[in-house]
Amino acid sequence: MSFASLALSPPILQAVNEQGYNEPSPIQAKAIPAILTGNDVMAAAQTGTGKTAGFTLPILELLSRGKRARSKQVRTLVLTPTRELAAQVAENVEKYATHLPLRSNVVFGGVSINPQIQKLSRGSDVLVATPGRLLDLHQQGCIRFDDLEILVLDEADRMLDMGFIHDIKRILKLLPAKRQNLLFSATFSNEIRALAKGLVNNPVEVSVASPNTTAKTIEQWVYPAERSKRAALLVHLVKDNDWQQVLVFTKTKHGANRLAKQLDDKGITSAAIHGNKSQGARTRALENFKTGQIKVLVATDIAARGIDISSLPQVVNFDLPEVAEDYVHRIGRTGRAGIDGHAISLVTNEDFKLLAAIERLTAQVIQRKMIEGFTPINPLPESSLDSRGQKAPNKPKKTASRNSRSKPRPNKNNGSDDSKSDSRPKRRRVNPNPKSRTARKPQG
């Protein structure tokens, strides 16, 4: 199948060709025709499947057939959970609309609102926004939705996880009843279906893979390690393997800052991005990472949402995520568009339960590797897919030191040696779904 067979106009096909894509990904092949019919659509698609182009291309096709947006009006609204994702979606819209007389804008918090107000005054055929800033702009009378034709909720599951449900409901009340609704989510959980009841009408459901599966293009393995030796082990891995581009996940903001400094002190150019960083600092760090000015980008889960690098070779879990589903999202940053990627996790004895949950969810035992000089004193228990009944690992052995009783115990609730964590709602664990094969995923 080619993009030309999907009833897209020559200007859009030209833009797609200029981006180097010849064939649509599975989600694009299913979603584009459904959206072009004007139906509401619910699509289940993981990060890295090309889902952004899956809704951007047909939206641009539909918009190109109508009248341009009037002053302050919006014809298509795309809601995203984070600033980074909003910027990424907006970049895709600009690329694919380069040969069309359409105007697109993006608005999010953390930056000055005045330039955004000026751009919105000219009207937006496509507006990509985070919920909070959008409501601020509407309250100030800078934006109107009388002419809205299409609404997109991108990564709806993450929006719910981050507590945006009330903002979404407020926004829905501002929109005209007659519109096309598109909902994209990693899963069709009960919460997502509850949200969909008040949003979509007789939707076409599109799904290309079961949730919680990992791409075959990603090689995964675990390095057992002592908590205090993880930073030194990461330095060794980066230098010994001559890694030039590594995305590292930590559990906390302070842990991200500390690790980035430790890497810098060892001669490995690094930067941290998280919720306490200004939007300007986050944008600069991401750009420097993409261009190779820094080798390692250390990120928390929320800040990393929306990071889209076509050929990212390595992802490292310095801390395992508390929620197993986040592991799939994290490592999905690599192994995209059919290109091989590597996902490495540094796992302590205390983190065995988190590792076992990930292995149950993804229905695979992750290969383990040891490096001379970094063998942990407290070994990591063996895994099996029937690990639900396994006992928790033994507590770390006490050293023979006379002062061992006075030494503080490791903080079991903190994977970054830090008591503070990103402020976000606690998440409910979701039962794993059966594994299914994941098709190779063109990016978009």
Side-chain angles (χ1 to χ4, degrees), residues 250-433:
T250 62
K251 187 182 299 183
T252 69
K253 305 170 187 175
H254 297 284
N257 286 339
R258 179 164 48 251
L259 181 58
K261 185 177 186 304
Q262 289 174 317
L263 294 172
D264 262 330
D265 290 344
K266 296 297 182 180
I268 300 172
T269 52
S270 307
I273 61 170
H274 50 68
N276 282 355
K277 295 279 187 178
S278 69
Q279 184 57 40
R282 288 160 70 168
T283 301
R284 285 192 301 273
L286 182 56
E287 185 61 28
N288 289 340
F289 183 58
K290 287 182 176 181
T291 58
Q293 295 181 54
I294 61 173
K295 285 187 178 181
V296 179
L297 186 65
V298 187
T300 55
D301 284 301
I302 292 178
R305 202 71 174 183
I307 291 179
D308 188 1
I309 300 170
S310 59
S311 55
L312 179 65
Q314 281 92 26
V315 169
V316 174
N317 292 297
F318 188 81
D319 299 314
L320 287 181
E322 292 287 344
V323 179
E325 287 86 347
D326 282 344
Y327 175 83
V328 178
H329 288 296
R330 286 181 177 187
I331 72 170
R333 309 294 169 191
T334 188
R336 296 186 174 202
I339 298 173
D340 291 339
H342 304 95
I344 300 98
S345 299
L346 311 184
V347 183
T348 71
N349 170 276
E350 300 167 46
D351 295 328
F352 176 71
K353 285 186 177 181
L354 299 178
L355 175 62
I358 290 167
E359 291 178 323
R360 285 197 304 270
L361 186 70
T362 59
Q364 61 181 320
V365 173
I366 303 173
Q367 179 186 0
R368 303 185 187 200
K369 294 184 179 182
M370 301 294 296
I371 292 184
E372 186 177 354
F374 292 95
T375 303
I377 298 173
N378 304 288
L380 189 66
E382 292 297 321
S383 295
S384 75
L385 293 182
D386 296 322
S387 56
R388 286 185 183 275
Q390 287 189 5
K391 295 180 180 179
N394 296 327
K395 292 181 179 180
K397 298 176 183 178
K398 293 184 178 181
T399 62
S401 170
R402 294 179 181 178
N403 297 323
S404 61
R405 290 187 179 182
S406 63
K407 292 182 180 180
R409 292 183 178 181
N411 185 346
K412 293 186 177 182
N413 295 321
N414 183 358
S416 292
D417 306 303
D418 203 309
S419 61
K420 295 183 180 180
S421 62
D422 280 304
S423 57
R424 57 172 171 169
K426 291 185 178 180
R427 298 178 56 188
R428 190 160 61 96
R429 295 181 183 270
V430 181
N431 290 330
N433 290 316

Side-chain angles (χ1 to χ4, degrees), residues 90-260:
E91 182 180 342
N92 274 267
V93 172
E94 286 188 6
K95 288 178 180 177
Y96 295 127
T98 186
H99 302 298
L100 294 171
L102 299 175
R103 183 180 296 115
S104 63
N105 287 303
V106 57
V107 296
F108 46 73
V111 295
S112 174
I113 198 171
N114 291 328
Q116 296 177 356
I117 292 174
Q118 293 175 357
K119 291 181 179 178
L120 292 174
S121 66
R122 297 191 292 271
S124 305
D125 294 292
V126 180
L127 177 63
V128 186
T130 52
R133 177 53 62 93
L134 183 73
L135 288 169
D136 288 344
L137 288 162
H138 183 269
Q139 187 175 10
Q140 295 184 40
C142 305
I143 188 172
R144 300 184 63 181
F145 302 109
D146 307 87
D147 297 343
L148 188 81
E149 302 170 33
I150 304 170
L151 169 68
V152 183
L153 288 189
D154 191 17
E155 298 202 358
D157 54 325
R158 179 61 61 164
M159 286 226 222
L160 296 185
D161 291 342
M162 294 175 65
F164 283 129
I165 183 61
H166 297 298
D167 284 348
I168 292 173
K169 289 181 177 179
R170 288 174 61 193
I171 292 169
L172 292 178
K173 291 180 180 179
L174 304 175
L175 308 181
K178 187 179 179 181
R179 63 178 189 267
Q180 184 178 11
N181 301 289
L182 312 176
L183 186 152
F184 280 73
S185 173
T187 65
F188 288 156
S189 64
N190 292 335
E191 292 84 356
I192 290 297
R193 291 195 179 277
L195 172 64
K197 284 183 179 179
L199 176 65
V200 295
N201 300 305
N202 300 317
V204 175
E205 291 196 11
V206 175
S207 181
V208 295
S210 295
N212 307 321
T213 58
T214 57
K216 289 183 174 296
T217 51
I218 304 174
E219 184 181 0
Q220 305 169 59
W221 64 87
V222 162
Y223 283 109
E226 289 296 318
R227 187 170 302 280
S228 62
K229 296 292 182 65
R230 289 176 305 155
L233 175 54
L234 180 57
V235 170
H236 174 84
L237 289 170
V238 173
K239 290 187 174 182
D240 193 59
N241 295 288
D242 193 26
W243 288 345
Q244 297 299 311
Q245 195 177 44
V246 190
L247 175 60
V248 179
F249 285 96
T250 62
K251 187 182 299 183
T252 69
K253 305 170 187 175
H254 297 284
N257 286 339
R258 179 164 48 251
L259 181 58

